[in-house]
Amino acid sequence: MNKSAMVYDRPTRVGGSFRDPSGHVYRQGDRIFRTVTNAGKEQFDFVRRSGLFELLIREGRLLPFELIDGPLSSASDGMDESVSYVLEVPKITFVSFPYEWSFPALKAAALLHLDIQLTSLDYNVTLSDASAYNIQFIGATPTFIDHLSFRRYEQGEMWAGHRQFCEQFLSPLLLRSLFGISHNAWYRGSLEGISVIELSRLLTWRHYLKKDLLTHIVLQSWLQRSTVSTLQGQGLNKTTVREGTIPMQAYRKLLTGLRHWISGIEPLQISKSTWQDYAKENSYQAGELGEKAAFVRDFAAQHRPRQLWDFGCNAGVFSKAALEGGAEYVVGFDFDQGALDRCYAEARKDQLPIQSIVMDMANVSPDQGWMGIEREGLGARRSADALVALAVVHHLAISRNIPFGELLDWLVDLAPCGVIEFVPKTDPMVQKLLALRADIFEDYTWGFFTDRIAQKARIDRVLKVGQQGRTLVSYIRHGYEGIRREHPP
């Protein structure tokens, strides 16, 4: 299917799209384009003719694309390269990165990659790399996005992306499965994944008895060390490594065995995470939880946001309430692994448009990578129409010493309307936070809270919940009072 080009403004190349000379990704307003350069045309044509693209798109495993019709040139279309094709692909609602995924999300992405590899071999096609960044999430469903990673399979070739798969998928999963350590902070500091050399240093002799660990971590670590020795001129015959062969049957067996192993990997349960059971073990009553959910549901029904951010989403109770009210898509943020594991599992089970993101709101993902733009930070990806922050601000203000006024300003600036919960110092939870420290938070008051929000927004509704003084406030930022008319029921 072809689609006419309607290019009015110069497209801008996406910062993370620079490694592959066979094509690049461009952004133009809300439209996303992918070029296929002359260097990538032959492989793209082969895979396209094979029927693999159609199958994977039909099954929802590959992002669909449309060919832009008509002659295209660098000069007329503003793309800094000569291209054979331009594809238009749907815009991902919220772009996320592997270091922001929960354990079950990363596991689902790993299994998707292996499933696509196995299916591709049926079409005499393979994947040229194993980058986890080639996968994005639509709700809780992983989707492969890189159409140029596919190429013709050469008989007997080794799995070129084996070590990359181990470092970007397997090592992070094993870190939590074997040692109970979440991958996110380590991964964020090392964008190419967790090195097999570093992970192998954590293994004990007990681990060496496991065949899968030997094959995919220890052996890969040895190969990596050997490569380093080669680069240092220490005599390894690198030609042997580069030109090694593996029969197709053995290649399939390797992928199938790895898939079976990963499908059975689960997080090591050392103890429950801090907020894993917060939805059941909080300091307010079940009726109060219902009141808060109803407030969020009514707020979503009033504004019908296309994208709502739920800070401190926990297991997704209020994310679901927002969807029930009319929100189209929810991105839920939390730093608690146990809670987010549950949030992801329930969204996946019920096929809800909830995307769960591991993130500490006092330390959000920054711009990083090549030139500081390869992986955009949260600020650059700001795309919410509304936000919800329940049972959050007192933790940031009191536990983390985030200036209360700056915190409220930041929240109100993130989306044109929202709901924020104020928890007074008399609440048992805040009393716990203050129990072991001096109360230096003079501005943490109801008056300061409402006055600060009112500087930027009109307070729309207020609801006191229960006897402890917890209060929900919904607001509409100045200049956005017409937001309801923009998204009518």
Side-chain angles (χ1 to χ4, degrees):
M1 179 184 326
N2 291 348
K3 185 173 183 177
S4 298
M6 296 176 62
V7 180
Y8 302 107
D9 303 320
R10 182 180 178 85
T12 302
R13 184 186 289 190
V14 172
S17 179
F18 62 88
R19 298 179 190 275
D20 188 355
S22 59
H24 302 98
V25 178
Y26 290 81
R27 181 187 295 129
Q28 185 189 40
D30 284 335
R31 300 178 70 182
I32 304 296
F33 299 98
R34 174 178 286 280
T35 60
V36 180
T37 64
N38 298 338
K41 180 179 184 300
E42 181 181 351
Q43 295 290 356
F44 180 78
D45 284 341
F46 175 81
V47 180
R48 191 180 171 208
R49 285 194 301 268
S50 74
L52 177 62
F53 283 156
E54 285 78 1
L55 174 73
L56 295 178
I57 291 170
R58 187 166 62 248
E59 294 177 343
R61 291 192 280 172
L62 177 66
L63 198 67
F65 66 85
E66 292 184 281
L67 283 175
I68 296 296
D69 198 11
L72 293 160
S73 67
S74 301
S76 62
D77 295 297
M79 296 175 179
D80 299 325
E81 57 190 344
S82 295
V83 299
S84 295
Y85 304 115
V86 177
L87 320 179
E88 181 166 6
V89 298
K91 184 180 180 183
I92 300 295
T93 303
F94 181 80
V95 172
S96 60
F97 304 120
Y99 48 84
E100 298 171 338
W101 300 344
S102 63
F103 180 95
L106 182 63
K107 177 177 171 179
L111 295 177
L112 174 70
H113 178 95
L114 294 172
D115 285 342
I116 288 178
Q117 275 273 49
L118 287 164
T119 301
S120 298
L121 289 176
D122 294 338
Y123 290 75
N124 207 32
V125 172
T126 189
L127 293 176
S128 59
D129 59 56
S131 172
Y133 296 93
N134 287 340
I135 293 175
Q136 285 295 327
F137 279 84
I138 300 173
T141 303
T143 304
F144 201 85
I145 63 168
D146 189 0
H147 304 85
L148 300 184
S149 282
F150 297 86
R151 63 169 174 78
R152 186 197 302 263
Y153 168 75
E154 301 293 342
Q155 287 297 325
E157 68 172 287
M158 300 284 284
W159 181 12
H162 191 178
R163 183 170 61 82
Q164 188 179 37
F165 181 89
C166 293
E167 297 193 335
Q168 299 206 359
F169 291 103
L170 186 57
S171 290
L173 291 172
L174 290 174
L175 192 65
R176 186 164 171 207
S177 177
L178 296 177
F179 307 107
I181 301 171
S182 299
H183 69 275
N184 306 87
W186 192 338
Y187 207 147
R188 185 168 117 176
S190 177
L191 297 182
E192 295 304 314
I194 297 175
S195 161
V196 288
I197 293 178
E198 292 180 326
L199 187 71
S200 66
R201 288 173 180 150
L202 301 178
L203 301 180
T204 66
W205 286 109
R206 176 174 57 88
H207 298 119
Y208 280 64
L209 300 177
K210 299 179 183 298
K211 179 183 174 184
D212 289 322
L213 278 172
L214 281 174
T215 302
H216 300 292
I217 298 298
V218 179
L219 178 59
Q220 290 298 315
S221 173
W222 178 83
L223 289 172
Q224 176 67 0
R225 287 192 179 97
S226 299
T227 301
V228 172
S229 296
T230 297
L231 294 174
Q232 293 173 343
Q234 297 179 14
L236 177 75
N237 183 357
K238 62 183 178 183
T239 304
T240 301
V241 176
R242 180 178 296 171
E243 297 182 356
T245 60
I246 180 173
M248 168 74 89
Q249 186 177 2
Y251 191 0
R252 286 185 182 279
K253 187 175 180 181
L254 176 70
L255 295 171
T256 304
L258 185 55
R259 192 196 188 288
H260 177 74
W261 182 32
I262 290 178
S263 66
I265 290 177
E266 296 295 340
L268 179 65
Q269 293 294 339
I270 299 175
S271 60
K272 287 185 178 180
S273 61
T274 305
W275 305 106
Q276 184 171 338
D277 291 330
Y278 182 71
K280 294 182 291 185
E281 300 172 359
N282 47 56
S283 58
Y284 45 88
Q285 302 300 314
E288 299 170 11
L289 182 66
E291 288 184 75
K292 293 171 68 172
F295 191 91
V296 172
R297 195 179 300 116
D298 292 344
F299 167 78
Q302 177 186 356
H303 297 287
R304 292 188 173 270
R306 298 184 186 93
Q307 185 180 150
L308 180 144
W309 285 6
D310 182 1
F311 290 124
C313 68
N314 199 263
V317 170
F318 302 118
S319 299
K320 293 178 184 176
L323 292 177
E324 292 166 358
E328 295 179 16
Y329 196 91
V330 175
V331 183
F333 299 87
D334 210 305
F335 69 90
D336 188 282
Q337 289 283 350
L340 269 190
D341 287 356
R342 287 183 54 200
C343 184
Y344 177 84
E346 293 187 20
R348 185 74 187 266
K349 174 173 64 71
D350 297 330
Q351 290 295 295
L352 298 175
I354 300 175
Q355 187 174 351
S356 50
I357 299 294
V358 179
M359 199 174 295
D360 180 351
M361 302 320 300
N363 183 22
V364 300
S365 296
D367 294 335
Q368 53 183 353
W370 169 242
M371 295 176 65
I373 59 173
E374 182 180 359
R375 306 299 170 202
E376 291 182 328
L378 183 67
R381 289 176 282 159
R382 184 170 59 185
S383 52
D385 300 303
L387 70 81
V388 169
L390 304 188
V392 169
V393 296
H394 56 299
H395 291 288
L396 292 168
I398 295 177
S399 297
R400 309 295 291 275
N401 283 42
I402 302 296
F404 196 34
E406 293 179 18
L407 170 59
L408 296 173
D409 289 347
W410 179 69
L411 288 171
V412 174
D413 286 342
L414 280 176
C417 60
V419 177
I420 303 176
E421 179 179 11
F422 177 78
V423 182
K425 290 182 179 178
T426 54
D427 185 270
M429 177 57 70
V430 179
Q431 288 292 307
K432 289 182 181 178
L433 300 179
L434 291 171
L436 299 177
R437 62 179 308 173
D439 183 356
I440 59 174
F441 310 101
E442 293 183 358
D443 59 359
Y444 189 83
T445 65
W446 168 251
F448 183 90
F449 175 77
T450 52
D451 288 347
R452 193 71 178 223
I453 292 176
Q455 290 179 14
K456 289 177 172 281
R458 174 176 63 81
I459 293 177
D460 190 34
R461 288 185 61 205
V462 175
L463 174 69
K464 184 177 179 181
V465 179
Q467 301 303 312
Q468 303 297 336
R470 287 175 175 256
T471 307
L472 275 57
V473 168
S474 70
Y475 60 87
I476 302 173
R477 202 167 68 206
H478 296 320
Y480 287 85
E481 283 79 4
I483 189 169
R484 184 178 182 181
R485 292 192 294 272
E486 294 174 6
H487 306 289

